[in-house]
Amino acid sequence: MRFNPEEIKTAAKEDFDAAWNNGRQYVKRANINQGYPHMELNYGKVHPVYETISRLREAYLRMGFHEMMNPLIVDEKEVHKQFGHEALAVLDRCFYIGGLPRPNVGISDERIAMIKGMIGDIGEEGIERIRKILHSYKKGDIEGDDLVPEMSIELAVSDSLIVEMIDQVFPEFKELAPVCGRKTLRSHMTSGWFISLSGILERAEPPFNFFSIDRCFRREQAEDAARLMTYYSASCVIMDEDVTVDHGKAVAQGLLAQFGFEKFRFRPDEKRSKYYVPDTQIEVFAYHPKLVGSKTKYSDGWVEIATFGIYSPTALAEYEIPYPVMNLGLGVERLAMILYGAMDVRSLTYPQIPQYSPWNMQDSELAKMVYVEKTPATPEGEQILAAIVKQCDLHGSEPSPCEFSAWEGTVYGRKVKVSVVEPEENTKLCGPAAFNEVLAFKSDILGLPNNKKWEEAFENDSARTGIRFIDAFAAQSAWEIEEAAKNGEKLVETRVRIVKVPSEINIRIKPLAQRYITSNNKKIDIRGPVFTTVRAEIE
């Protein structure tokens, strides 16, 4: 909090040690539910696939490639031009784009009666407006998402009534079935490269070095640990009169070496796609030391990571392209799986979907989900909380019966005197568990003493809640004192004995953490003998 430098300097000259110790009063004490680790400076968490895309973009740019965005929607005739006799096999894996047809809707006398019954007597003029709007919709002059607003404005009727009227009077809209056209979603980046290269040749001359990292769509029979129906392809092309297979080898090494791959093998691809020149389709195998000994099928360190080839003149000629083109592509998700040690592409890509990914929470995350339920609402209440804790820290081991004055002041205009007491004999002011701290340890939430036995649990500050049993109890005591002062009570006594569950010590755990702990067969163990009493006399 703010202070007066001149007063501090004067005080330091008079008694430096006292002034130095008094510095504590200028350091604001965080609310019990707002201190570390509940307080955090958040930062964004990258998605592994997008992070890999970002790194690939930088890698390509460093190698002198220019970025290009290729067409995503490709007419099936382009696939025939590019893949020749293989086109049908390729198209079998493509998603065709469909849409709902525009229905030809008539308005009979029966429907007119239904319309008027729902939205009121709009007259012949209103019915004619509906006819015109539906006709414009049929022609495509009005888009589907503008149909309801257009009718609402023209008829001066709420859009909710229009929606209900269309739903009940015109069942044709509900009975519509999608109809596919001849356009497909790109299944290979190659489909876009032919179109892009053909276009750019009208405006520039090679050599060209381009790359594109974008989504492709493949109609797989099913998704599994190794494949998805939509994936990212990191693809590049080099167009040059003198391009060779060696360009592909150089690009593969130059690109993948930036990701830690050290050795490379190049083998002819048995697939022999017709859009490549025969014997130029090459698989790239690369060695990554991170994979050695891993629990993957690449435990020897070698992985098939990319494919390249020289586009066939028979395909290029269909686009009036007279230059040879080297094309290299790799799947971003496969590279990301290697870099992040993932075993399943589904859990890597969609970690938020439970069926694909195990639920893992760090102890630091669990610690943030523990909080004190009842806390004081006033500055005086905060002072009472701190005063109770201070007396327990100082005198917790004092033999009973005993009583220690903790705080005197005014709460809600009433004088209050607070004491920590233990009336019973042959015990202590505080029980042995009073100073246990709540923390997360190996996915358990525990209330533990800070001693040598539990040294490992306490060494991770980010998993410590900073909430001791006595802190939570003092917060409840202060809250009850505030309530008593507000409600006109004269005496309030807050007592805790043996704690068996968190709520008995004024501690709550968020349902999300409880669900995680239960689903992973972990435990919440917050219990122990606290035996502390706070008494407040109110005038």
Side-chain angles (χ1 to χ4, degrees):
M1 62 181 66
R2 189 169 180 172
F3 55 85
N4 186 324
E6 293 302 322
E7 290 182 0
I8 299 297
K9 287 192 287 186
T10 301
K13 287 179 181 179
E14 294 177 356
D15 187 340
F16 177 83
D17 193 61
W20 180 71
N21 279 291
N22 286 338
R24 297 188 186 95
Q25 65 182 300
Y26 300 108
V27 180
K28 184 177 179 180
R29 186 177 186 273
N31 178 285
I32 195 167
N33 282 331
Q34 296 174 342
Y36 181 84
H38 300 280
M39 174 194 294
E40 60 176 331
L41 300 178
N42 288 318
Y43 57 89
K45 183 178 181 181
V46 299
H47 189 286
V49 173
Y50 290 122
E51 174 69 5
T52 305
I53 288 173
S54 177
R55 292 180 61 188
L56 280 164
R57 289 183 69 246
E58 293 173 359
Y60 271 125
L61 290 167
R62 279 192 291 266
M63 293 170 64
F65 283 80
H66 300 278
E67 190 166 29
M68 180 174 286
M69 184 176 289
N70 287 318
L72 180 63
I73 297 174
V74 178
D75 194 288
E76 67 171 16
K77 68 182 180 182
E78 305 290 344
V79 178
H80 282 283
K81 289 165 64 175
Q82 297 160 10
F83 292 88
H85 299 307
E86 288 183 319
L88 291 179
V90 173
L91 289 170
D92 180 66
R93 304 279 293 277
C94 286
F95 287 100
Y96 277 79
I97 299 175
L100 294 176
R102 300 292 176 89
N104 190 13
V105 181
I107 306 181
S108 64
D109 290 342
E110 182 183 358
R111 288 185 171 183
I112 291 173
M114 291 177 66
I115 292 170
K116 291 182 177 180
M118 295 184 70
I119 64 176
D121 188 358
I122 57 176
E124 288 302 318
E125 182 181 353
I127 297 299
E128 186 60 28
R129 288 179 179 176
I130 293 176
R131 281 197 180 96
K132 288 182 177 179
I133 292 170
L134 290 174
H135 183 63
S136 296
Y137 171 71
K138 169 66 177 176
K139 293 193 302 179
D141 296 335
I142 297 177
E143 296 296 333
D145 51 1
D146 293 327
L147 179 61
V148 170
E150 188 77 18
M151 280 195 185
S152 176
I153 293 170
E154 286 292 321
L155 301 175
V157 175
S158 71
D159 54 2
S160 59
L161 275 178
I162 296 297
V163 169
E164 188 176 354
M165 182 266 289
I166 291 174
D167 182 67
Q168 296 190 27
V169 178
F170 302 106
E172 294 93 335
F173 285 92
K174 291 189 289 186
E175 296 166 359
L176 292 176
V179 176
C180 286
R182 294 296 184 179
K183 295 187 182 299
T184 72
L185 292 174
R186 176 182 64 208
S187 64
H188 299 68
M189 189 63 78
T190 286
S191 298
W193 278 129
F194 280 96
I195 298 169
S196 292
L197 293 174
S198 174
I200 201 167
L201 274 177
E202 296 183 14
R203 302 181 179 182
E205 292 184 347
F208 301 136
N209 288 25
F210 296 120
F211 80 93
S212 183
I213 305 174
D214 206 348
R215 200 176 279 279
C216 293
F217 300 84
R218 194 78 60 86
R219 193 169 67 93
E220 305 283 2
Q221 293 300 311
E223 294 186 329
D224 56 31
R227 68 194 63 179
L228 298 172
M229 291 190 184
T230 175
Y231 66 97
Y232 282 94
S233 173
S235 179
C236 72
V237 291
I238 296 178
M239 179 188 286
D240 192 353
E241 287 190 43
D242 300 319
V243 76
T244 68
V245 170
D246 292 313
H247 282 82
K249 295 178 180 179
V251 170
Q253 179 171 340
L255 182 69
L256 295 171
Q258 298 183 59
F259 291 87
F261 291 94
E262 297 178 347
K263 295 180 285 189
F264 299 88
R265 294 173 182 165
F266 304 102
R267 297 176 181 173
D269 191 339
E270 296 178 356
K271 291 193 286 289
R272 293 171 58 83
S273 302
K274 295 300 184 288
Y275 60 91
Y276 284 133
V277 172
D279 302 323
T280 68
Q281 186 171 341
I282 307 295
E283 291 179 321
V284 180
F285 291 80
Y287 177 87
H288 201 301
K290 182 179 177 181
L291 294 173
V292 176
S294 64
K295 297 179 180 179
T296 69
K297 61 181 179 179
Y298 312 118
S299 59
D300 63 351
W302 287 94
V303 57
E304 179 193 347
I305 194 67
T307 301
F308 68 85
I310 308 295
Y311 281 153
S312 171
T314 57
L316 292 169
E318 294 291 329
Y319 290 88
E320 305 299 328
I321 297 175
Y323 302 98
V325 177
M326 189 285 297
N327 164 242
L328 177 142
L330 63 87
V332 173
E333 286 82 359
R334 172 174 285 194
L335 178 58
M337 288 178 72
I338 294 167
L339 298 178
Y340 287 86
M343 301 289 289
D344 191 313
V345 68
R346 297 167 299 182
S347 63
L348 175 83
T349 308
Y350 308 116
Q352 73 277 17
I353 300 178
Q355 71 189 77
Y356 294 148
S357 178
W359 188 9
N360 294 311
M361 289 183 70
Q362 299 294 322
D363 285 343
S364 57
E365 295 178 90
L366 287 171
K368 293 182 181 70
M369 296 186 182
V370 180
Y371 65 98
V372 173
E373 183 177 22
K374 296 174 181 176
T375 61
T378 65
E380 293 79 13
E382 290 286 350
Q383 293 173 17
I384 293 170
L385 186 163
I388 293 170
V389 171
K390 181 178 180 180
Q391 291 304 313
C392 292
D393 281 334
L394 289 173
H395 306 292
S397 298
E398 291 289 333
S400 62
C402 57
E403 177 174 345
F404 296 93
S405 177
W407 188 86
E408 289 188 37
T410 302
V411 179
Y412 291 119
R414 302 182 65 193
K415 291 183 179 180
V416 177
K417 181 179 179 181
V418 180
S419 301
V420 184
V421 304
E422 177 49 65
E424 296 184 8
E425 296 183 354
N426 301 319
T427 182
K428 296 178 180 179
L429 180 66
C430 300
F435 302 100
N436 285 10
E437 182 178 339
V438 181
L439 49 76
F441 180 57
K442 296 181 179 179
S443 295
D444 294 327
I445 294 180
L446 309 171
L448 300 175
N450 191 349
N451 56 29
K452 189 173 182 62
K453 177 181 177 181
W454 295 105
E455 185 176 358
E456 183 183 357
F458 279 87
E459 68 183 11
N460 180 9
D461 282 349
S462 66
R464 296 174 61 176
T465 67
I467 301 170
R468 300 177 301 171
F469 290 8
I470 195 62
D471 301 321
F473 170 71
Q476 179 175 346
S477 301
W479 178 84
E480 290 186 5
I481 291 168
E482 287 180 335
E483 292 297 301
K486 187 165 45 175
N487 296 329
E489 299 175 28
K490 293 185 176 181
L491 179 68
V492 60
E493 191 170 275
T494 306
R495 177 176 296 180
V496 62
R497 292 186 177 278
I498 296 179
V499 172
K500 298 177 182 177
V501 293
S503 59
E504 292 181 348
I505 196 64
N506 191 32
I507 288 174
R508 292 287 180 180
I509 299 169
K510 291 184 178 180
L512 182 64
Q514 294 186 39
R515 190 160 66 248
Y516 174 80
I517 288 170
T518 301
S519 63
N520 286 277
N521 295 318
K522 305 303 289 185
K523 64 184 177 182
I524 298 172
D525 190 354
I526 298 175
R527 56 194 172 92
V530 179
F531 291 111
T532 307
T533 302
V534 170
R535 180 184 298 140
E537 299 171 358
I538 307 171
E539 296 180 9

